[in-house]
């Protein structure tokens, strides 16, 4: 990432501080970027916002840092030497789900990931979401915007719910799925599922609104808390969620596509009926 990928008009002088870790009280953020100038600018803003910041300059170092000192959130550049951001995110999620050795302890919540992608490169954004990123910021970006995104994602991870999925309340048990809102844990037929932050919130919203058709704008507003944005974000998360909760993601029985309208969660689809839609998006 070049220096031009940070909005320098938004930059402020930062006082001192070198090395790979600096202190704060709001939470810990691991910044993985191979451009030292960008890393320093981002770290400076996060520190002033009260975060502890650790830096890593390539993909393998980022994975090691996440394993040795589990962060509350990772800011991950897509283009990295040694291992690109997509592979870093893919391996991080595999470790969290127990699919790769060296992962975190059982019961750890997935580390939220904000990916830095090129402006206008929709394929990169979709790939990042496909491998488990929770959010993305396009380059060039304002450090202030990035800090706001970090705070927003961490609020959801720590408080447990956006406006459409209130924290706490009774456990939800539907179609072999059990969702505990307070613990933010989901089981399917007794087996715990490794859901990302957004996947959990999306499933919680569906479970609380069974039988209702939800268009992508509504889901983005209620689950993401955004009044506008790239609707492919919703499409990708629905597809990933289907891959984890459906017996056959290619012929989903729970999250149905309602053509031209959106998606509907069917707790108990009628026996012998064909599914309303496959894994394509439900455009309104």
């Amino acid at each position: 990432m070049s220096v031009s990928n940070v909005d320098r008009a938004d930059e402020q002088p930062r006082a001192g501080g070198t090395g790979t870790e600096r202190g704060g009280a709001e939470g810990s953020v691991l910044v993985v970027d191979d451009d030292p100038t960008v890393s320093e600018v981002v770290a400076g803003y996060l520190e002033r916002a009260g975060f502890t910041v650790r830096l890593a300059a390539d993909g393998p170092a980022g994975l090691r840092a996440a394993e040795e000192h589990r962060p509350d959130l990772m800011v991950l550049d897509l283009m990295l030497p040694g291992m690109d951001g997509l592979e870093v995110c893919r391996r991080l999620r595999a470790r969290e789900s127990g699919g790769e050795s060296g992962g975190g302890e059982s019961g750890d919540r997935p580390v939220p990931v904000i990916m830095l992608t090129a402006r206008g490169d929709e394929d990169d954004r979709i790939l990042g979401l496909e491998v488990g990123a929770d959010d993305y910021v396009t380059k060039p970006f304002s450090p202030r915007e990035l800090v706001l995104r970090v705070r927003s994602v961490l609020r959801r991870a720590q408080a447990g719910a956006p406006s459409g999925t209130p924290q706490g309340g009774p456990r939800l048990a539907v179609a072999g799925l059990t969702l505990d809102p307070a613990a933010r844990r989901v089981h399917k037929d007794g087996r715990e599922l490794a859901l990302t932050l957004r996947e959990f919130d999306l499933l919680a919203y569906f479970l609380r609104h069974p039988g209702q058709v939800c268009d992508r704008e509504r889901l983005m507003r209620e689950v993401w808390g955004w009044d506008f944005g790239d609707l492919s974000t919703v499409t990708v998360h629905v597809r990933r969620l289907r891959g984890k909760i459906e017996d056959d993601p290619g012929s989903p029985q729970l999250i149905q596509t309602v053509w031209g309208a959106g998606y509907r969660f069917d707790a108990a689809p009628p026996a012998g009926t064909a599914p309303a839609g496959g894994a394509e998006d439900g455009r309104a």
Side-chain angles (χ1 to χ4, degrees):
M1 183 198 297
S2 67
V3 176
S4 62
N5 286 314
V6 175
D7 182 356
R8 300 309 293 263
D10 203 27
E11 183 179 345
Q12 300 173 359
R14 62 181 299 264
T18 58
T20 59
E21 180 175 1
R22 282 74 69 102
E26 293 297 314
S28 61
V29 179
L30 173 61
V31 177
V32 187
D33 196 297
D34 62 318
D35 187 318
T37 303
V38 172
S39 294
E40 286 295 313
V41 171
V42 170
Y45 270 81
L46 289 169
E47 288 167 11
R48 284 192 291 272
F51 294 97
T52 298
V53 180
R54 293 182 62 84
L55 303 178
D58 57 46
L63 275 178
R64 288 194 301 271
E67 182 178 351
E68 293 169 1
H69 302 278
R70 187 178 185 276
D72 294 316
L73 181 141
M74 179 185 292
V75 175
L76 179 63
D77 188 24
L78 180 65
M79 301 301 293
L80 292 169
M83 181 189 302
D84 67 21
L86 294 175
E87 185 62 22
V88 171
C89 191
R90 186 180 292 113
R91 294 194 186 193
L92 179 67
R93 295 302 183 224
R95 290 180 180 183
E96 291 167 342
S97 64
E100 186 174 314
S101 61
E105 296 179 3
S106 176
D108 278 351
R109 296 177 183 176
V111 174
V113 173
I114 296 177
M115 191 163 284
L116 305 179
T117 68
R119 180 183 295 277
D121 196 336
E122 183 178 5
D123 289 343
D124 282 350
R125 295 199 300 272
I126 290 176
L127 283 171
L129 296 170
E130 286 278 14
V131 299
D134 297 279
D135 202 350
Y136 60 86
V137 173
T138 57
K139 301 177 294 188
F141 62 89
S142 158
R144 287 195 182 106
E145 177 193 358
L146 181 57
V147 170
L148 290 175
R149 292 290 186 95
V150 167
R151 282 176 166 160
S152 175
V153 171
L154 281 177
R155 274 199 303 271
R156 283 182 170 83
Q158 294 167 354
S163 59
T165 54
Q167 181 183 10
R171 293 189 179 190
L172 304 173
V174 176
L177 295 168
T178 303
L179 183 145
D180 185 336
R184 293 188 67 85
R185 302 179 74 174
V186 178
H187 291 78
K188 176 178 172 61
D189 299 326
R191 176 176 59 87
E192 185 166 8
L193 304 180
L195 302 186
T196 67
L197 170 70
R198 302 292 191 186
E199 290 165 357
F200 182 95
D201 289 341
L202 182 60
L203 178 59
Y205 190 84
F206 277 135
L207 293 182
R208 289 190 172 100
H209 300 83
Q212 296 184 20
V213 175
C214 305
D215 62 32
R216 294 187 299 170
E217 289 85 355
R218 173 180 171 183
L219 292 172
M220 177 161 283
R221 184 175 60 253
E222 298 295 337
V223 177
W224 275 258
W226 301 348
D227 290 324
F228 60 89
D230 184 353
L231 294 178
S232 65
T233 299
V234 178
T235 305
V236 170
H237 278 80
V238 168
R239 184 161 60 241
R240 282 182 55 83
L241 185 57
R242 279 172 166 159
K244 295 180 179 182
I245 69 170
E246 298 279 3
D247 292 331
D248 180 2
S251 181
Q253 298 294 308
L254 297 175
I255 303 176
Q256 302 281 352
T257 296
V258 181
W259 296 110
Y263 302 102
R264 184 185 65 240
F265 186 86
D266 286 346
T273 61
E280 294 82 2
D281 65 54
R283 296 183 184 275

